Amino acid sequence: MIKDLVHDEAVLSVPCEPATVEDAAVAQDLLDTLASIEDAACLAANQIGVTKAIIVFQDESGKAHVMYNPRILMGLAATKVPESCLTHEEETRVTRFAKIKVAFDELVDGAFKPRKRDYLGWEAQMIQHMVDHCKGKLI
Ligand SMILES: [Zn+2]
């Protein structure tokens, strides 16, 4: 279901709780909401008002991915980059790694499977932005 975006910093600054397999409907709402917003490539659950650690993002081919409980294990080549946010007005400069290793859960047949993957460039930047959202951190 398409949800309204939350712009209230009091909600967005609360650290998210761990997601469970019961939260599959939240992930679907995130995918539906992301698909409904032009020019949006990523979204975290608290941006639709659910304080659970779930993020969705579109890769460069436009395919959407869901990550439950994403954590950045390692980052390389930090640089300052300009960044903007769907639920925060001004563009700011933040430090982001160009390459990251991420641990997350994937929902497969009703159970979480732990995954680890490397991401580069734009995808790495989006994931770092989304992991910050999960921590209640705003750029
Ligand atoms: Zn954001």
Side-chain angles (χ1 to χ4, degrees):
M1 199 185 296
I2 297 169
K3 300 285 185 179
D4 289 331
L5 293 183
V6 170
H7 296 268
D8 184 349
E9 292 199 1
V11 175
L12 293 171
S13 57
V14 175
C16 291
E17 292 166 33
T20 70
V21 293
E22 312 292 321
D23 296 317
V26 178
Q28 188 57 53
D29 288 345
L30 278 171
L31 291 170
D32 294 344
T33 306
L34 182 65
S36 76
I37 308 169
E38 207 168 325
D39 295 331
C42 57
L43 207 54
N46 55 357
Q47 293 181 286
I48 59 166
V50 181
T51 47
K52 292 290 183 98
I54 310 170
I55 67 172
V56 296
F57 67 94
Q58 284 176 343
D59 65 22
E60 277 166 4
S61 71
K63 186 178 185 303
H65 300 268
V66 177
M67 285 182 176
Y68 295 88
N69 304 314
R71 298 184 319 280
I72 293 166
L73 301 177
M74 183 201 77
L76 292 173
T79 49
K80 283 234 176 220
V81 290
E83 203 167 88
S84 57
C85 178
L86 277 178
T87 50
H88 192 79
E89 298 292 306
E90 313 128 46
E91 186 175 273
T92 31
R93 288 185 76 77
V94 290
T95 300
R96 296 293 185 209
F97 299 114
K99 181 180 179 182
I100 53 171
K101 186 180 287 293
V102 185
F104 59 97
D105 293 314
E106 185 178 352
L107 188 58
V108 182
D109 297 330
F112 277 165
K113 295 257 189 263
R115 305 281 190 215
K116 274 182 200 168
R117 279 189 63 183
D118 294 336
Y119 294 89
L120 293 170
W122 166 235
E123 288 178 7
Q125 186 181 345
M126 279 193 294
I127 292 166
Q128 288 167 90
H129 183 101
M130 292 294 115
V131 169
D132 278 352
H133 271 297
C134 292
K135 292 175 181 165
K137 194 172 155 191
L138 297 167
I139 62 168

